[in-house]
Amino acid sequence: GSPDNFVTHLGFYHCRRKLRSEVAAAFPTLSTEQLAELIPNKEELNVIKIHSHKGEAITVYMNHRNPILFEVEKVLYPTVYTLWVYPDLLPAFATWPPVLQKLAGGADLMLPGVVVPPSGLPRVQRGTLCAVTLLGNRAPVAVGVATMSTEEMLAAGMKGKGFAVLHTHLDHLWEYGDKSSPPTLAPLVTDCAAEESAGGEEELQGKEPGSSCCPEPQQHVDIRDLSLKDRDTCAELGKEELPENRAAEPAEDGSKEEQQEAEDSRTPQEQMDALFNQCFFHALKCKVKKSDLPLLTSTFLGSHMVSCCPAGKQLDIKKSSYKKFSKFLQSMQQQRILQVKELSRGVESIVDVDWKHPDIKAFAVPEGFSSASAAQDSKSEDREQVYHAPEIIPLYGVSTKMMPLFQESGHKKGSILSSSEVRNVIINYVKSNELVDETNKNFVKVNAILCDCLLDKSEQDEISHLKWDELLSRCLERLQPLHQVTFSGQEPVVRKGNIEPIDISIAQRSSNKKVTIIKNLELYGLDPQCVANTLQQKVQASATISPAPGAKDRVQVQIQGNQIHHLAKMLLEEYQLPRKYIQGLEKAPKLGRKK
């Protein structure tokens, strides 16, 4: 199958204009002339859609000869061919020439491989798009995303992963072009000192860049052989998106390249470190959900990590280089994988986890463990993560006594109306029966029907006129209360009576201890067990669930201490419930009284 069936020509000027404005937005340093050069009006410009191993759709923009840009998940990236023309388009980090081979083979760039020039590293933030160059040549050989800021790289002692690499010279995307080698561009003046300090690297630089590490000829894929059905196997692009083909290399620590083969040559300490790493990522990926946070670090180690430990091995922090679990977690916090806080004195909890962190995404669950639980959790995590308060509308049912007032508008006993519909019925009734007081339009004359429906026996002789708003409020009071509840994505449900608010009360237990009791959570679609778990984590006090007295099928949450401040924050801010549906917030302890 020739690739023509998935090539479209960008012949239209508006497409080019749109692409040009997107490129201008993504790379603001390009001048208007450079943009016109990169995306010319006259020459042919094609768009190719390919897929990475993971099945991710990648859009590649080609000029007549080479791929110039590629787009993954709506983000534009330059190819090496473009960077050779505009070498200063992205902040550049230099590495030693032998490293290119590893990058082209799918490795990410580890910080020990980054050369720090005397002038210092470029200042970048985590997530910045960067170019990778080889020492002594300014022409970039790879494009990657910084996994930490420059400050963090230096703070980490230039250890750990620095860049998630997306595309390199010599990879499959490069092979779509004319397969030329990087030009030799002299470094800018500030970098020349770095070459001197590099000492013995000269003989490496003397070689034609790329010649030392060209792939074997059979690895070249001729674009003409690329059929639609197998193109996903050869478009090895979004490297950072390919946990499958990196599972073999240890994601945690690039400096132990040979971790897998050289199993026994590692010291017991290194093996224990590796075991902690493995159980840590396994537990985060498969055992911990967002709704479990904050999570006591002791629980995380004792139940979650231990359950991920392979048979025949035992986690013992004393045998690792960390010596204390808190030290181990600190190092993970420095890599921005999670956040630990001391929520109550001397007790640390994990308060946040970055599940999108490349190291968690790239971690492959070891054989013998079902990875099904990971899928399960991520599904339930989505469900639990976002609570949407229901939409609640009060409704009114027409009773026998109120029938006479409503039948003119065509309503029967048991008709259900909203307050605005009730208002319209009253206005129509008053107007059609000409009951507006001529001398004062704010008053309505009470006729026999209004008298029967809206006045108590004792008032019937005294009241001859009512104000409009009193007419309405008396009418609403005398109709049967109902309410409609709509949960997001579900059909509305109509229930009788007024909705009961979430009821918060403080009770005194023996020996003057206070407990906070919360009822009616179910009516608002909140799972009492989840609320109890979340609260227990937040305030580090025991929360239990018991049947609610006098309400069948309902439970109440009871938590030690007066926890109204925490509850108010959780219900009003996190769950976004309107204050009118929560009763008992005024019983907060006298810190700064909540109204």
Side-chain angles (χ1 to χ4, degrees):
S2 96
D4 290 341
N5 51 4
F6 62 102
V7 172
T8 47
H9 295 279
L10 256 198
F12 317 127
Y13 285 124
H14 73 267
C15 289
R16 292 188 193 221
R17 246 206 319 271
K18 182 165 174 290
L19 179 61
R20 207 175 286 140
S21 70
E22 283 170 6
V23 173
F27 310 109
T29 53
L30 286 174
S31 66
T32 319
E33 294 73 51
Q34 289 173 321
L35 278 169
E37 264 169 20
L38 184 61
I39 303 156
N41 277 332
K42 295 283 178 285
E43 294 174 39
E44 187 182 357
L45 195 58
N46 297 328
V47 185
I48 302 181
K49 292 267 198 262
I50 56 180
H51 288 82
S52 67
H53 289 293
K54 200 177 151 199
E56 223 155 4
I58 295 162
T59 308
V60 181
Y61 295 95
M62 308 268 297
N63 65 16
H64 54 100
R65 224 181 35 254
N66 289 323
I68 51 171
L69 299 158
F70 64 103
E71 191 173 354
V72 186
E73 291 187 348
K74 303 215 164 48
V75 182
L76 273 176
Y77 303 94
T79 62
V80 286
Y81 292 107
T82 295
L83 291 175
W84 295 339
V85 184
Y86 310 108
D88 306 317
L89 185 61
L90 302 177
F93 290 77
T95 185
W96 312 103
V99 174
L100 174 59
Q101 214 162 358
K102 299 215 164 104
L103 301 183
D108 285 329
L109 180 57
M110 298 294 174
L111 289 174
V114 174
V115 180
V116 181
S119 55
L121 292 169
R123 286 278 173 261
V124 298
Q125 290 308 311
R126 175 177 175 186
T128 307
L129 192 58
C130 300
V132 180
T133 60
L134 299 182
L135 204 62
N137 186 357
R138 216 165 91 243
V141 293
V143 180
V145 175
T147 55
M148 45 176 116
S149 68
T150 310
E151 283 72 24
E152 290 165 330
M153 292 178 190
L154 297 166
M158 296 303 282
K159 296 269 188 300
K161 177 156 62 170
F163 302 87
V165 175
L166 282 89
H167 154 59
T168 69
H169 168 219
L170 307 175
D171 70 6
H172 289 287
L173 178 56
W174 168 80
E175 290 181 355
Y176 274 94
D178 58 14
K179 301 187 189 169
S180 50
S181 291
T184 305
L185 305 175
L188 298 171
V189 183
T190 53
D191 291 353
C192 52
E195 287 168 74
E196 270 125 60
S197 70
E201 293 295 317
E202 269 83 354
E203 65 272 63
L204 271 161
Q205 294 162 18
K207 295 188 187 166
E208 166 80 44
S211 59
S212 58
C213 45
C214 261
E216 308 296 71
Q218 71 267 25
Q219 283 182 356
H220 283 272
V221 177
D222 192 316
I223 190 159
R224 288 189 298 278
D225 305 337
L226 204 58
S227 77
L228 269 170
K229 68 177 188 302
D230 63 18
R231 71 169 191 272
D232 48 338
T233 51
C234 49
E236 187 188 332
L237 286 184
K239 293 246 171 62
E240 54 155 4
E241 275 73 73
L242 303 179
E244 291 85 344
N245 60 344
R246 357 212 28 177
E249 39 174 285
E252 310 87 45
D253 193 340
S255 58
K256 304 200 200 84
E257 275 311 302
E258 277 66 54
Q259 203 164 6
Q260 261 54 20
E261 305 85 282
E263 192 58 52
D264 302 324
S265 65
R266 296 178 304 170
T267 65
Q269 194 179 57
E270 286 173 340
Q271 291 184 35
M272 186 55 72
D273 285 0
L275 184 62
F276 264 88
N277 262 323
Q278 175 185 324
C279 297
F280 171 80
F281 285 109
H282 188 170
L284 285 187
K285 192 157 187 169
C286 304
K287 305 286 181 196
V288 181
K289 301 192 294 294
K290 188 161 183 126
S291 56
D292 297 334
L293 303 181
L295 174 64
L296 290 168
T297 56
S298 50
T299 312
F300 176 61
L301 174 60
S303 71
H304 298 88
M305 278 178 62
V306 167
S307 68
C308 296
C309 189
K313 294 193 177 179
Q314 227 173 346
L315 284 168
D316 182 351
I317 195 71
K318 298 269 185 293
K319 292 184 180 160
S320 73
S321 63
Y322 300 98
K323 303 297 179 235
K324 286 188 179 161
F325 190 52
S326 57
K327 277 265 168 52
F328 172 76
L329 289 178
Q330 252 172 341
S331 84
M332 293 304 173
Q333 179 162 308
Q334 280 172 342
Q335 295 171 47
R336 293 291 181 89
I337 295 167
L338 48 63
Q339 211 183 345
V340 178
K341 278 209 178 117
E342 194 173 323
L343 292 182
S344 54
R345 205 160 145 217
V347 182
E348 293 198 321
S349 296
I350 297 170
V351 291
D352 192 26
V353 175
D354 177 7
W355 274 282
K356 298 203 167 70
H357 193 286
D359 288 1
I360 296 183
K361 285 174 91 167
F363 178 78
V365 176
E367 313 259 306
F369 286 96
S370 73
S371 54
S373 62
Q376 239 42 58
D377 284 359
S378 66
K379 278 208 193 67
S380 61
E381 179 191 321
D382 294 343
R383 230 196 359 265
E384 290 170 15
Q385 210 168 346
V386 189
Y387 166 77
H388 290 293
E391 193 188 343
I392 301 166
I393 305 168
L395 296 174
Y396 303 89
V398 179
S399 56
T400 317
K401 184 165 188 259
M402 298 291 282
M403 269 293 299
L405 184 50
F406 283 80
Q407 57 196 23
E408 279 188 27
S409 309
H411 295 292
K412 315 192 280 293
K413 175 178 183 250
S415 290
I416 295 176
L417 301 97
S418 67
S419 61
S420 59
E421 289 170 319
V422 171
R423 200 167 140 219
N424 290 338
V425 167
I426 290 183
I427 293 172
N428 291 339
Y429 181 84
V430 170
K431 297 243 165 103
S432 63
N433 289 283
E434 298 178 348
L435 296 176
V436 180
D437 188 327
E438 297 87 11
T439 54
N440 183 346
K441 292 216 160 52
N442 292 330
F443 282 92
V444 173
K445 292 182 285 194
V446 177
N447 68 357
I449 286 180
L450 287 178
C451 180
D452 274 354
C453 293
L454 304 181
L455 298 185
D456 295 341
K457 282 272 190 300
S458 61
E459 302 170 318
Q460 291 187 351
D461 299 336
E462 277 125 55
I463 296 180
S464 61
H465 291 75
L466 283 172
K467 278 190 162 172
W468 278 106
D469 55 354
E470 201 179 347
L471 197 65
L472 180 63
S473 60
R474 280 172 175 259
C475 185
L476 292 175
E477 274 166 22
R478 285 165 168 76
L479 291 166
Q480 288 167 340
L482 300 106
H483 60 277
Q484 171 182 301
V485 182
T486 313
F487 290 102
S488 79
Q490 294 178 22
E491 289 297 305
V493 183
V494 175
R495 304 180 187 147
K496 285 192 172 151
N498 290 312
I499 187 160
E500 294 174 69
I502 292 177
D503 179 77
I504 303 172
S505 56
I506 302 289
Q508 202 90 16
R509 291 287 184 257
S510 60
S511 75
N512 207 11
K513 284 212 168 72
K514 290 190 168 65
V515 295
T516 306
I517 296 170
I518 309 119
K519 301 180 187 153
N520 299 336
L521 290 165
E522 302 94 330
L523 301 177
Y524 295 83
L526 284 163
D527 174 351
Q529 185 67 61
C530 277
V531 171
N533 294 351
T534 312
L535 263 175
Q536 180 162 317
Q537 299 278 337
K538 274 200 185 356
V539 304
Q540 303 285 315
S542 148
T544 53
I545 281 182
S546 54
K552 68 172 203 303
D553 300 339
R554 279 199 224 156
V555 295
Q556 60 185 29
V557 174
Q558 176 177 315
I559 182 157
Q560 292 170 350
N562 182 331
Q563 305 296 356
I564 290 184
H565 282 309
H566 287 284
L567 264 168
K569 202 172 157 61
M570 184 163 136
L571 296 173
L572 297 170
E573 292 173 25
E574 281 179 49
Y575 295 159
Q576 302 269 312
L577 280 160
R579 198 177 270 271
K580 62 181 176 192
Y581 296 126
I582 306 169
Q583 133 188 327
L585 292 179
E586 69 288 343
K587 304 189 187 86
K590 311 259 184 301
L591 279 166
R593 284 191 61 138
K594 285 213 166 37
K595 283 283 163 292

